[in-house]
Amino acid sequence: MIFEVMTKYDYEQLVFCQDKNSGLKAIIAIHDTTLGPALGGCRMWNYQTEEEAITDALRLARGMTYKNAAAGLNLGGGKSVIIGDPKKDKSEELFRAFGRFIQGLNGRYITAEDVGTTVEDMDLIYMETKYVTGVSPAFGSSGNPSPVTAYGVYRGMKATAKVAFGDDSLKGKTVAVQGVGNVAYNLCKYLHEEGAQLIVTDINPDSVKRAVQEFGAQAVNPNEIYDVDCDIFAPCALGAVVNDETIERFKCKVIAGAANNQLKEDRHGDMLEQKGIVYAPDYVINAGGVINVADELYGYNRERAMKKVEGIYDTILKVFEISERDGIPSYKAADRMAEERIESVRKSRSTFLSNERSILHFDHR
Ligand SMILES: NC(=O)C1=CN([C@@H]2O[C@H](COP(=O)(O)OP(=O)(O)OC[C@H]3O[C@@H](n4cnc5c(N)ncnc54)[C@H](O)[C@@H]3O)[C@@H](O)[C@H]2O)C=CC1
Ligand SMILES: CC(C)CC(=O)C(=O)O
């Protein structure tokens, strides 16, 4: 069954990591390295079954191939998951053991934060491997990617508003935010500063309370967020929230948020289009974090990174241009843009290039 899925979507490698001493059970999925080493975060989550963890790792890794390609990065797509409760199961041994598995891949996979992992966890991984980003700024690194992801989502939301409402101002717009965690808290700050009205929800009452107190947000129960009257729905928790059930309920004109894999299936992107909801493809709008951590690989320069993140505005506009030009929904337009880049690089890479393993270096004459 696993090879069937890997073949269907062309995955290169799936690595299972087990370490009895620390209790580590992790999966590293490498989807495609045509553009460069696979970069993508590490999620720690209390998966109920191994299948759920494998499926999540695979889906997230493929998303990173498209995200990195669409963002113009010289990086392929990969992602990892650690099976466990981030509130109870973290330890130095666990992350160091995980770091050693990453080191074993010799640079084919580079990790970073995702849901359930922090800068401190990355610092532990860094004790064992240099193939980790989002490490503490004290190491010359870029630190927590979430605020930068939020800035990119904010920029992408403005561009999507321009397409949907003819004006990119978010002043007076009502934005319903699902999940006010690391990314969305920072996103709410930008939205509040611009004068947007916020409706928020989270399964963590403390996060909701903070958004209500700091941004005057209106709070609703997690299951009510799909029904609220709003201009923009911003999914910023987990994936698959755009599905048969929720599409019927949405009253928004725009969907633009940070969560990965927002569409449960591709056909839900078609359904949004039919309903007249303008959808900002998830992996384009939420690329700020990866653009920021990827800059570390050149020697981190915050100004350069932020300039690139700002460009998410133009990338989103480009996606909608392709969508209009080719008469396809926005999610397909984003896929087309990413796939075209990967294909053109794949073709130009078929040209011979000498390296230490090539025949030119086995000179016995
Ligand atoms: N952190 C980053 O830089 C990036 C994050 N993302 C994606 O953005 C999303 C959010 O990431 P973070 O803010 O880092 O994670 P986080 O874990 O800090 O925030 C997620 C929030 O969603 C809440 N939540 C979970 N299930 C919920 C539900 N059913 N209803 C309402 N709230 C719920 C959680 O309690 C938490 O507060 C994730 O899908 C992540 O993969 C994507 C790109 C970069
Ligand atoms: C820096 C990261 C959060 C990269 C990643 O895994 C993502 O964009 O989903």
Side-chain angles (χ1 to χ4, degrees), residues 39-43 60 63-64 67-68 78-80 109-115 133-134 143-146 149 183 258-260 283 286-294:
L39 172 55
C42 168
R43 179 170 290 191
L60 289 164
M64 290 309 300
K67 187 181 305 195
N68 293 338
K79 199 98 174 185
S80 53
Y109 170 67
I110 304 168
T111 200
E113 293 86 347
D114 191 59
V115 174
T133 55
N144 180 4
S146 304
T149 301
V183 176
N260 280 310
Y283 62 76
N286 74 11
V290 77
I291 292 172
N292 192 49
V293 299

Side-chain angles (χ1 to χ4, degrees), residues 177-221:
V177 183
Q178 181 184 44
V180 260
N182 289 318
V183 176
Y185 169 74
N186 290 285
L187 173 64
C188 286
K189 228 189 245 178
Y190 288 115
L191 296 174
H192 178 63
E193 272 164 23
E194 190 165 331
Q197 306 298 317
L198 298 171
I199 303 175
V200 300
T201 194
D202 199 292
I203 50 172
N204 179 349
D206 291 338
S207 305
V208 173
K209 203 166 151 197
R210 184 170 65 161
V212 170
Q213 281 171 352
E214 292 188 27
F215 312 124
Q218 178 195 337
V220 296
N221 290 325

Side-chain angles (χ1 to χ4, degrees), residues 21 27-28 30 58 92 111 186 201-202 215 279 307 325:
N21 175 51
I27 300 163
I28 301 171
I30 298 178
L58 288 171
E92 176 178 347
T111 200
N186 290 285
T201 194
D202 199 292
F215 312 124
Y279 170 64
K307 190 113 201 85
R325 185 194 69 197

